Amino acid sequence: MLIYLLPSLRGFFMNYKDSIISKIKIYRLNVPLIKPYKLSYNTFHSFEPLLIHIFDDEGNEGWGEQHISPGSSSETRDGGWIFARIISKLILNKKLSDAKEIILSHSNISVVASSAIYTAIEELEKKDVLNNKSSIKLKLLTSFNAEEEAEIKDELDKVTDQGFTTIKVKVGKDVNLDLKKINYIQSNLNGRAKIRIDANRGYTEKEGCKFVVGLQPDNIELFEQPCDANNWEANAAVAKLSTIPIMLDEPICSINDIKKASKIEGVGLCKLKLKRFVSVTKLIEAIKFAHSLGLKIVLGDGLGSEINCWMEAKIACGLVDNAGEYNGFLKIDPPARILSNPLKFKNGFLIIPENWNLEIDRDKLEKYSIYKETIHK
């Protein structure tokens, strides 16, 4: 029996790396957007991702990046920055395996910052999913910003001409106006795309119920997060009335959350993001677990920059078959994108060529950094 195990064991030990962290660089960037990105709880004119560059004692390097979105949770950008500095000092001179345990044991303090640091270690380790050099072609969703009727027609023409076949429409402020907007979009789609509706937790239970009762299901793929993330009962009440599958987003941060969502009538999907699961490995496990319960998964953080978008796309490949929401890189003003080999977009698809490698434009990194610190001996 041992003879048959030897090849796989040999591969395990050849790929296993438990080197020591020798240096960590922390950056907080401010990258301008092409146009304001409007959500029910905030309007973004720029993204301020936390960027981690980690080194080991064998000369290997890894990058991680996550964006704390003010208003999305209790986490703050300043708090994430402080956390990253403290954890970086704790994991300096530690083995990679020990460093990951330290991050996990403190991750409840700042899940997003923990994810940036942890995934930088995974990138350094060249975990299988991140080290796979095969080409990728994945369909992307686009956000939809138009509010007035004339603008809606123009934007529909624009995004469908760009190849998008799934659009995301934000609601959550005024039920009657929101229904009117959705109805007008449906009337002008002409079968060119599907709609994902996202309330970003903006409705009360009563408003959410009124909204789904007033919806016509034509061309609508799903309705995302009607009510407050902590109000499972309100979201369940909306889901029970809805003829459109409900997708939960902000409440889904663990395997237990996925299990809880699977038991709610009318909830057919969960939205998962790398920044809520700390690691690439744990996110993959969560996707597979959701599928085992019969839940569909939508993957991606629309507020992520290029490194996070790349990681989520790698994870999605072969696991998720709908339009990805790892599209934050498309919102960033092109001169401010910090990869020297930027992610490519063509005809509605994210394109990553074969043998593509993560490469940082150091001049842009310096230009768009508002804070930076190096942790070393």
Side-chain angles (χ1 to χ4, degrees), residues 59-70:
N60 301 297
E61 303 177 25
W63 294 88
E65 168 256 307
Q66 291 298 339
H67 185 207
I68 295 175
S69 170

Side-chain angles (χ1 to χ4, degrees), residues 146 156 352 360:
L156 281 175
I352 300 177
I360 305 293

Side-chain angles (χ1 to χ4, degrees), residues 179 182-183 186 195 197 211-220 243-244:
L179 285 170
I182 296 297
N183 181 260
Q186 290 172 303
I195 304 169
I197 304 173
F211 181 76
V212 295
V213 168
L215 273 180
Q216 297 299 317
D218 303 345
N219 299 307
I220 300 176
T243 58
I244 309 298

